[in-house]
Every structure is written in structure tokens, then in C-alpha cells.
Amino acid sequence: MKQKLTDLAEIIRSKNSGPYELTLDIMFKDFASFEKACEKRIINEEVVCRLYHIPPEKIINIIEFQPAKAIKITIQRPICSGDLGETDVYGAQQHAPLLDLEFDW
């Protein structure tokens, strides 16, 4: 059965983690969904690379943070925050690829 991430997560957001990094946060509605998502590894290196069109070496970390029912992904920014050609100084719009994520549940 296919499941959408937006049906399980209460919050999906992105933000700068300094001028050279982006952090993507997925905060689940309940512990059962969080634990199952972690067990099934629905957020993994392959998924992040596919969604963000980046090689694995651009992923800094993927952390499962149980107290917040959250999975946190940190990646290198494609363009430094504030550089010429950069369109999202705060990194607040970079979570969009996660919104369409579907996976086997």
C-alpha cells in the first residue's frame, strides 16, 4: 500500500543550517508513524539523492530524533545563501520535493 509523507507528518519544513547547508525537518504526527518510518527507512540516502538531484557526498547527515518524532536531513546548499543566483536566502522553500513523496507502507 502506498502512503504519502504528508499524511503521516505534522510538519515538513526546511531552513538554513548556516550559509552553506540546508536542514530538512520531518516531524511525525505520532510515535507509531515515526517508529515505523524509521524501521522502514523511508528517508534514506537514495531517496534524498533522487528528490534533490544530488550525489551522496552532498548529504551531511540523516538523523532520527526520537524526542521530537522527527527525521532531520542536512545537505549542502547548491548555492551559498545570498550568493548571486540564489533564490531562497533563508532556505525556507526547499522542503517542497518531500511533499510529493510516496512509499510502500
Side-chain angles (χ1 to χ4, degrees):
M1 177 171 97
K2 289 286 186 187
Q3 182 72 46
K4 288 193 73 151
L5 183 60
T6 53
D7 292 335
L8 299 173
E10 186 170 0
I11 296 169
I12 301 174
R13 68 182 182 193
S14 60
K15 60 188 177 218
N16 281 343
S17 181
Y20 305 106
E21 299 174 2
L22 289 168
T23 293
L24 311 160
D25 296 321
I26 304 162
M27 298 174 197
F28 291 84
K29 293 178 181 177
D30 55 65
F31 280 105
S33 296
F34 166 75
E35 289 169 357
K36 188 170 181 179
C38 292
E39 177 185 312
K40 289 185 154 285
R41 312 297 278 167
I42 63 167
I43 304 298
N44 58 56
E45 189 175 271
E46 181 182 326
V47 168
V48 174
C49 290
R50 178 173 41 87
L51 290 176
Y52 287 89
H53 308 287
I54 59 173
E57 56 270 14
K58 298 285 185 179
I59 299 172
I60 297 168
N61 57 36
I62 301 173
I63 297 171
E64 298 165 353
F65 187 62
Q66 202 259 353
K69 304 178 297 224
I71 297 175
K72 301 177 75 62
I73 306 156
T74 303
I75 61 174
Q76 291 178 8
R77 287 183 66 100
I79 299 174
C80 178
S81 179
D83 261 2
L84 187 63
E86 195 274 328
T87 60
D88 185 8
V89 173
Y90 300 108
Q93 300 172 40
Q94 303 309 307
H95 61 284
L98 292 168
L99 300 178
D100 292 326
L101 182 61
E102 289 187 348
F103 43 85
D104 292 323
W105 196 241

Coordinates of all heavy atoms in Angstrom, one line a residue, residues 13 18 20 26 34 36 41 44 47 49-50 57 59 62 69 76 78 82-83 86 93 99 104-105:
R13 N 9.4 20.9 6.9 CA 9.9 22.3 6.7 C 11.4 22.2 6.3 O 12.1 21.2 6.5 CB 9.7 23.1 7.9 CG 10.6 22.7 9.1 CD 10.4 23.5 10.3 NE 11.2 23.0 11.4 CZ 11.1 23.3 12.7 NH1 10.1 24.1 13.0 NH2 11.9 22.9 13.6
G18 N 23.2 27.4 8.5 CA 24.4 28.1 8.1 C 24.3 28.5 6.6 O 23.4 28.1 6.0
Y20 N 26.0 27.6 4.1 CA 26.4 26.5 3.1 C 25.6 25.2 3.3 O 25.8 24.3 2.6 CB 27.9 26.2 3.3 CG 28.7 27.4 3.2 CD1 29.3 28.0 4.3 CD2 28.9 28.0 2.0 CE1 30.1 29.1 4.2 CE2 29.7 29.2 1.9 CZ 30.3 29.7 3.0 OH 31.0 30.9 2.9
I26 N 11.3 16.6 9.2 CA 10.0 15.9 9.0 C 9.6 15.5 10.4 O 10.3 14.7 11.1 CB 10.2 14.6 8.1 CG1 10.7 15.0 6.8 CG2 8.8 13.9 8.0 CD1 11.3 13.8 6.0
F34 N 6.3 7.6 13.3 CA 7.7 7.9 13.4 C 8.5 6.6 13.5 O 9.5 6.4 12.7 CB 8.0 8.8 14.6 CG 9.5 8.9 14.8 CD1 10.4 9.6 14.0 CD2 10.1 8.2 15.9 CE1 11.7 9.7 14.3 CE2 11.4 8.3 16.2 CZ 12.3 9.0 15.4
K36 N 7.7 3.5 12.7 CA 7.5 2.7 11.5 C 8.3 3.3 10.4 O 9.0 2.6 9.6 CB 6.1 2.5 11.1 CG 5.8 1.6 10.0 CD 4.4 1.3 9.8 CE 4.1 0.3 8.7 NZ 2.7 0.0 8.5
R41 N 13.0 2.8 7.0 CA 14.0 3.6 6.4 C 13.4 4.3 5.2 O 14.0 4.4 4.1 CB 15.2 2.8 6.0 CG 15.8 1.9 7.1 CD 16.3 2.5 8.3 NE 17.6 3.0 8.2 CZ 18.1 3.8 9.2 NH1 17.3 4.1 10.2 NH2 19.3 4.3 9.1
N44 N 16.1 7.9 3.3 CA 17.4 7.3 3.2 C 18.2 8.1 2.2 O 17.7 9.0 1.5 CB 17.3 5.8 3.0 CG 16.6 5.5 1.7 OD1 17.0 6.0 0.6 ND2 15.6 4.7 1.8
V47 N 16.8 8.1 -1.4 CA 15.6 8.9 -1.6 C 16.0 10.4 -1.6 O 15.5 11.2 -2.5 CB 14.6 8.7 -0.4 CG1 13.5 9.8 -0.4 CG2 14.0 7.3 -0.6
C49 N 18.9 11.7 -2.5 CA 19.6 12.0 -3.7 C 18.7 12.1 -4.9 O 18.8 13.0 -5.7 CB 20.6 10.9 -4.0 SG 22.0 10.9 -2.9
R50 N 17.7 11.3 -4.9 CA 16.7 11.3 -6.0 C 15.8 12.6 -6.0 O 15.7 13.3 -7.0 CB 15.8 10.1 -6.0 CG 14.7 10.0 -7.1 CD 13.9 8.7 -7.1 NE 13.6 8.2 -5.8 CZ 12.5 8.5 -5.1 NH1 11.6 9.4 -5.6 NH2 12.2 7.9 -4.0
E57 N 27.6 12.4 -1.6 CA 28.6 13.2 -0.8 C 28.0 14.5 -0.5 O 28.6 15.2 0.4 CB 29.9 13.3 -1.6 CG 29.8 13.8 -3.0 CD 29.6 12.8 -4.1 OE1 29.3 11.6 -3.8 OE2 29.8 13.1 -5.2
I59 N 25.1 14.9 1.0 CA 24.3 14.7 2.2 C 25.3 14.7 3.4 O 26.2 14.0 3.5 CB 23.6 13.3 2.2 CG1 22.7 13.3 1.0 CG2 22.9 13.1 3.5 CD1 22.0 11.9 0.7
I62 N 21.6 12.3 8.0 CA 20.2 12.0 8.2 C 20.1 11.4 9.6 O 20.6 10.4 9.9 CB 19.7 10.9 7.1 CG1 19.9 11.4 5.7 CG2 18.2 10.6 7.4 CD1 19.6 10.4 4.6
K69 N 9.9 13.1 17.5 CA 9.3 12.3 16.4 C 9.7 12.8 15.1 O 8.9 13.0 14.2 CB 7.8 12.3 16.6 CG 7.2 11.9 17.9 CD 5.7 12.0 18.0 CE 5.3 13.4 17.8 NZ 4.3 14.0 18.6
Q76 N 24.3 19.9 1.7 CA 25.0 21.1 1.3 C 24.0 21.9 0.4 O 23.3 21.3 -0.4 CB 26.2 20.7 0.5 CG 27.3 20.1 1.3 CD 28.5 19.7 0.5 OE1 28.6 20.1 -0.7 NE2 29.4 19.0 1.1
P78 N 23.0 24.1 -2.7 CA 23.6 24.1 -4.1 C 24.3 25.4 -4.4 O 25.3 25.5 -5.1 CB 22.4 23.9 -5.0 CG 21.2 24.2 -4.1 CD 21.6 23.9 -2.7
G82 N 22.6 33.8 -0.2 CA 22.9 35.2 -0.5 C 23.8 35.4 -1.7 O 24.0 36.5 -2.2
D83 N 24.3 34.3 -2.3 CA 25.2 34.4 -3.5 C 24.3 34.8 -4.7 O 23.1 34.6 -4.7 CB 25.9 33.1 -3.8 CG 27.3 33.1 -3.3 OD1 27.8 34.0 -2.7 OD2 28.0 32.0 -3.5
E86 N 21.2 32.8 -6.2 CA 20.5 32.1 -5.2 C 19.1 32.7 -5.0 O 18.9 33.9 -5.0 CB 21.3 32.2 -3.9 CG 20.9 31.2 -2.8 CD 19.8 31.7 -2.0 OE1 19.7 32.9 -1.8 OE2 19.0 30.9 -1.5
Q93 N 12.0 27.3 1.5 CA 11.2 26.7 0.5 C 11.7 25.4 -0.1 O 11.2 24.9 -1.1 CB 11.0 27.7 -0.7 CG 10.3 29.0 -0.2 CD 10.4 30.0 -1.4 OE1 10.1 29.7 -2.5 NE2 10.6 31.3 -1.0
L99 N 7.1 16.9 -0.2 CA 5.7 17.0 -0.2 C 5.0 16.0 -1.1 O 3.9 15.5 -0.8 CB 5.2 18.4 -0.5 CG 5.7 19.5 0.5 CD1 5.2 20.8 0.0 CD2 5.3 19.2 1.9
D104 N 6.1 2.6 0.0 CA 5.3 1.5 0.5 C 5.2 1.5 2.0 O 6.2 1.7 2.7 CB 6.0 0.2 0.0 CG 5.9 0.0 -1.5 OD1 4.9 0.4 -2.1 OD2 6.9 -0.4 -2.1
W105 N 4.1 1.3 2.5 CA 3.9 1.4 3.9 C 3.4 0.0 4.4 O 3.5 -0.5 5.4 CB 2.8 2.4 4.2 CG 2.7 2.9 5.6 CD1 1.6 2.8 6.4 CD2 3.7 3.6 6.4 NE1 1.9 3.3 7.7 CE2 3.2 3.8 7.7 CE3 5.0 4.0 6.2 CZ2 3.9 4.4 8.7 CZ3 5.7 4.6 7.2 CH2 5.1 4.9 8.4

